[in-house]
Amino acid sequence: MADFALLKAEQQLLAAQVVREGLSPDFVPRFIAGGDTGFEENGTVARAAIVILHWPSLEMAEHRVARVPVTLPYVPGYLSFRECPALLAAWQQLTHRPELMFIDGHGVAHPRGLGLASHFGVTVDIPVIGVAKRRLCGDYQALSATPGDCQPLMYQQRQTGWVLRSKARCNPLFISAGHRVSDDMALYWTRQCLRGYRLPEPTRLADAVASQRKGFLRYLNRQ
DNA sequence: GCGACAG
DNA sequence: ATCTTGTCGC
């Protein structure tokens, strides 16, 4: 079994390296990436997918998948140690260098400020935004039913991100800075990448690739 | 002690 | 995350 006390100490060291600012108002990326992880072989193998999209069209320019044996069980608060290896393997296969990336999971909206998006961000040192579908920690005021509405996510009297109603009749998204982005820019760019679905395009497409949705891969290989 | 708990 | 079809609601 893993030594979580040791992993906790490592998280604290990495968390100290997280930069919660970046992306000036005039920032214009050429490529935006999206990353997500799935599992196969009864959960013994992690399958990470990273997609590269053109900005502002958000059309896919590249997509890579990496399979890596799982070394740790899923334990809330320690997810990054489970998924980072596979994500890094996919990252090394890329031929494009994105200026911004979205990852399925929390950034600093984590008990020790080091969710997957922050862990990966600090490791590759590029701007990363965390997009989670569920809350890990923190509280927030109720959201209205209006699409686009948002509320700050608070944890121990500090804002750790935003809760965003990205689409009508859908559960909200939990947006947080991963690395080299501010809370506001994380929210801004997430909104910029929304195209009518609950998830922003980078994460939505990475999820489609990682989960190998039937018909999606066939769709990619055609045209 | 009890409840919460990303993917 | 994953095992899985149809079904109710907007």
Side-chain angles (χ1 to χ4, degrees), chain A residues 38-113:
Chain A
F39 296 85
E40 53 187 45
E41 301 300 318
N42 292 311
T44 60
V45 175
R47 178 182 55 230
I50 293 183
V51 297
I52 297 292
L53 312 181
H54 284 281
W55 173 262
S57 73
L58 293 184
E59 288 176 355
M60 204 175 317
E62 178 183 6
H63 68 281
R64 301 288 175 186
V65 175
R67 287 164 225 279
V68 172
V70 167
T71 59
L72 296 170
Y74 165 65
V75 176
Y78 294 87
L79 174 70
S80 65
F81 292 102
R82 224 171 107 75
E83 307 193 352
C84 252
L87 229 32
L88 287 171
W91 173 261
Q92 299 178 318
Q93 292 178 37
L94 297 173
T95 59
H96 293 76
R97 282 303 153 191
E99 290 82 31
L100 172 62
M101 181 169 183
F102 285 80
I103 286 182
D104 191 313
H106 292 288
V108 298
H110 174 282
R112 290 170 293 286

Side-chain angles (χ1 to χ4, degrees), chain A residues 134-150:
Chain A
R134 299 179 62 181
R135 182 196 71 111
L136 207 210
C137 63
D139 301 285
Y140 57 97
Q141 298 301 302
L143 294 166
S144 73
T146 309
D149 187 32
C150 67

Side-chain angles (χ1 to χ4, degrees), chain A residues 41-222:
Chain A
E41 301 300 318
N42 292 311
T44 60
V45 175
R47 178 182 55 230
I50 293 183
V51 297
I52 297 292
L53 312 181
H54 284 281
W55 173 262
S57 73
L58 293 184
E59 288 176 355
M60 204 175 317
E62 178 183 6
H63 68 281
R64 301 288 175 186
V65 175
R67 287 164 225 279
V68 172
V70 167
T71 59
L72 296 170
Y74 165 65
V75 176
Y78 294 87
L79 174 70
S80 65
F81 292 102
R82 224 171 107 75
E83 307 193 352
C84 252
L87 229 32
L88 287 171
W91 173 261
Q92 299 178 318
Q93 292 178 37
L94 297 173
T95 59
H96 293 76
R97 282 303 153 191
E99 290 82 31
L100 172 62
M101 181 169 183
F102 285 80
I103 286 182
D104 191 313
H106 292 288
V108 298
H110 174 282
R112 290 170 293 286
L114 196 82
L116 176 61
S118 292
H119 191 150
F120 185 84
V122 165
T123 302
V124 302
D125 198 32
I126 65 164
V128 178
I129 293 170
V131 180
K133 296 181 288 297
R134 299 179 62 181
R135 182 196 71 111
L136 207 210
C137 63
D139 301 285
Y140 57 97
Q141 298 301 302
L143 294 166
S144 73
T146 309
D149 187 32
C150 67
Q151 284 293 327
L153 176 61
M154 306 296 289
Y155 181 61
Q156 299 181 335
Q157 351 294 342
R158 302 281 297 172
Q159 180 172 4
T160 54
W162 295 96
V163 185
L164 171 68
R165 174 137 274 143
S166 57
K167 181 181 179 181
R169 301 181 302 283
C170 285
N171 290 322
L173 256 31
F174 296 80
I175 311 302
S176 60
H179 185 52
R180 290 193 179 295
V181 296
S182 62
D183 294 340
D184 291 349
M185 280 296 115
L187 178 63
Y188 173 80
W189 279 101
T190 296
R191 282 172 161 160
Q192 291 299 301
C193 292
L194 250 23
R195 290 292 185 280
Y197 295 92
R198 177 161 83 125
L199 301 178
E201 292 301 278
T203 283
R204 189 178 75 83
L205 296 175
D207 179 78
V209 173
S211 55
Q212 298 181 132
R213 295 232 187 82
K214 218 165 188 175
F216 186 72
L217 292 180
R218 188 161 67 80
Y219 163 73
L220 289 179
N221 296 321
R222 70 173 188 181

